[in-house]
Amino acid sequence: MPSLNPHLLHTEETYLFAKIAEKRKRCLLDVINLGVGDVSKPPIASCIDALRNSVEEMTERSTLPGYPPNQGYRFLREKIALHEYANRFSPEEIFIGAGAKNGAADLLDLFAKGSRIGIPNPSYPVYLGASRIAGMQVLFLPCLEENNFAPTLPNEPCSLIYLCSPNNPTGHSLSKKMLESWVAYAHNHGSLLFYDAAYEGFITSGNPRSIYAIPGAEKVAIEARSFSKKGGFTNLRCSYMVIPKECRLQGVALGQLWERRCQFKFGGVPYPVQRAAESLYSSRGKKELMLQIQEYQAQAVYLRKGLLERGFSIVGGSDAPYVWCKIPPNLSSWEFFDLLLEKTGVLCIPGVGFGSHGEGFVRFSAFPEIPLLEKALTNIEREMFCAI
Ligand code: PLP
């Protein structure tokens, strides 16, 4: 009798997006989707050129790339080491992946079933779902308003802690002081930190972009970054993790362990995609990328200002393209979602979808372009004030 993975069977599906899609279908108004976590702008022109050129190379026997190396092509790892980390880490310490989502979930392969995993609440739902499927013990780290939405340090030791800065959904980023306390925690408890910096490119506050700004972090932290939001790669799929050579658990170098895992369970990222990612580091690519990020940042400023002017209490929007908005206390986040959609056609994400401590909030995304944001704000102003 075959038996299925009981952890997968008992992991709750995230009904969130299915439920939102269902409600959206029933909405009688034109929907303005401020729920999206996807980009609205295509990859920059340098990327498109690199894609075209590399596809051309694939048409010739002499330049056919074949299987990609598991760890990623050296040409990309060298650029990342130089441009992102000023060669503080070598290309051997950089691992190219097919998305930070995969990295966050697959990293659990390094830990024994039943290990205790610290997960911020609210947070990006992948940390929880992947931990449940892997049969881990989950310890929630509440991110409370009174703590400025930073996750609470646990008293118990955890094998792995997920940290996400700037955070999805709150848009909040962790200060140097907060990061220092997490690095100290990891040293004291023999824990590993998985630092998800998928939105580091959007930081304007001066908070660190990298966990490695903290001395000693290289011994206890793996950092993940992504080209999805920063380069428009949500479809192309390319990301990277830094696993410093000093990063060890129980005397084992985690980079080597990860490499072993990837030899059996990862097929690498396509050559054209890695060439496209490399083009972001050319001088033309850097200029184009900077302009694109500035446009997203301007959208976030616009949305933030618009919501503030309409009396909402919000955080985020300055270090990430998300605005975390407090809702009136008489409504749950789903009730607010329903009311907003029904009265204005604006679609947000109920905070509770990211964890129980997200109740009382909703997430608005600044990925949609300004005309759409303007329409959403106008509708909110016209229809919402009398409704709540
Ligand atoms: N990490 C966070 C915090 C995210 O919000 C997302 C996507 O929304 C990801 C990772 C996924 O990144 P990628 O597209 O590289 O898989």
Side-chain angles (χ1 to χ4, degrees):
M1 175 87 168
S3 56
L4 296 170
N5 174 353
H7 304 294
L8 177 56
L9 278 175
H10 295 124
T11 297
E12 254 184 68
E13 259 184 69
T14 97
Y15 290 114
L16 181 69
F17 291 101
K19 197 167 160 185
I20 288 174
E22 192 49 43
K23 285 173 181 278
R24 179 185 175 155
K25 240 195 289 175
R26 277 191 265 122
C27 177
L28 301 173
L29 305 175
D30 271 349
V31 172
I32 306 168
N33 189 355
L34 301 198
V36 283
D38 206 340
V39 292
S40 56
K41 303 173 206 298
I44 54 171
S46 301
C47 283
I48 302 294
D49 287 348
L51 278 172
R52 286 204 178 101
N53 294 339
S54 50
V55 168
E56 204 52 47
E57 284 181 59
M58 297 183 99
T59 63
E60 296 289 334
R61 268 197 197 127
S62 58
T63 47
L64 184 69
Y67 282 118
N70 275 321
Q71 194 176 344
Y73 288 100
R74 199 175 170 88
F75 62 75
L76 178 56
R77 290 186 286 117
E78 275 174 358
K79 298 285 185 325
I80 292 168
L82 172 65
H83 294 274
E84 303 285 355
Y85 296 101
N87 282 336
R88 175 171 169 197
F89 300 107
S90 71
E92 281 63 43
E93 295 164 290
I94 314 274
F95 297 78
I96 307 299
K101 176 179 183 175
N102 304 38
D106 295 343
L107 194 82
L108 291 161
D109 278 356
L110 302 191
F111 293 90
K113 223 172 233 171
S115 298
R116 189 184 292 134
I117 313 292
I119 299 183
N121 177 355
S123 66
Y124 178 50
V126 167
Y127 311 143
L128 177 61
S131 299
R132 293 265 197 245
I133 291 169
M136 301 301 186
Q137 187 193 329
V138 168
L139 181 72
F140 286 113
L141 314 172
C143 305
L144 306 174
E145 195 178 1
E146 53 268 33
N147 272 348
N148 206 14
F149 301 98
T152 311
L153 281 150
N155 296 320
E156 308 87 325
C158 289
S159 301
L160 171 70
I161 304 242
Y162 285 103
L163 290 179
C164 179
S165 178
N167 183 270
N168 174 14
T170 66
H172 168 268
S173 66
L174 293 170
S175 65
K176 188 154 190 262
K177 199 159 160 245
M178 279 305 315
L179 292 177
E180 279 165 357
S181 60
W182 280 107
V183 169
Y185 169 93
H187 275 280
N188 292 339
H189 292 90
S191 313
L192 178 70
L193 304 176
F194 179 86
Y195 190 73
D196 184 341
Y199 298 95
E200 55 74 33
F202 296 88
I203 292 185
T204 60
S205 67
N207 278 343
R209 284 172 180 251
S210 170
I211 186 78
Y212 304 120
I214 310 304
E218 65 287 348
K219 295 198 170 81
V220 293
I222 289 177
E223 178 160 294
R225 293 188 181 185
S226 171
F227 296 109
S228 281
K229 312 295 163 93
K230 196 174 156 181
F233 275 52
T234 51
N235 183 282
L236 290 170
R237 311 303 296 146
C238 194
S239 60
Y240 56 95
M241 290 204 299
V242 181
I243 311 184
K245 56 184 180 316
E246 297 97 320
C247 190
R248 304 172 81 87
L249 273 183
Q250 297 167 3
V252 177
L254 295 187
Q256 285 172 15
L257 201 58
W258 178 249
E259 205 181 329
R260 189 182 308 168
R261 182 254 167 222
C262 290
Q263 276 170 14
F264 296 105
K265 290 178 88 168
F266 182 53
V269 174
Y271 176 74
V273 173
Q274 295 195 50
R275 279 292 182 203
E278 181 197 27
S279 77
L280 295 168
Y281 297 111
S282 65
S283 49
R284 174 183 160 216
K286 277 184 172 175
K287 275 189 216 131
E288 289 172 349
L289 183 61
M290 196 176 70
L291 286 177
Q292 187 170 86
I293 290 177
Q294 282 171 351
E295 282 177 29
Y296 280 126
Q297 285 169 332
Q299 287 165 211
V301 168
Y302 184 86
L303 177 63
R304 211 183 128 79
K305 189 162 167 278
L307 287 168
L308 279 172
E309 282 169 2
R310 284 155 186 84
F312 287 99
S313 164
I314 56 164
V315 291
S318 50
D319 283 353
Y322 297 123
V323 174
W324 191 235
C325 178
K326 196 167 180 174
I327 59 175
N330 55 323
L331 295 172
S332 72
S333 58
W334 272 116
E335 285 167 344
F336 182 87
F337 169 93
D338 286 334
L339 191 66
L340 189 70
L341 188 62
E342 185 192 312
K343 297 278 174 199
T344 69
V346 175
L347 191 142
C348 62
I349 307 278
V352 74
F354 298 97
S356 55
H357 288 287
E359 188 48 274
F361 294 87
V362 293
R363 190 196 79 179
F364 288 106
S365 161
F367 280 117
E369 294 187 322
I370 289 201
L372 220 56
L373 298 177
E374 186 182 6
K375 195 161 170 232
L377 290 168
T378 308
N379 287 8
I380 289 174
E381 181 161 338
R382 201 179 51 226
E383 306 294 342
M384 264 316 257
F385 285 125
C386 46
I388 54 177

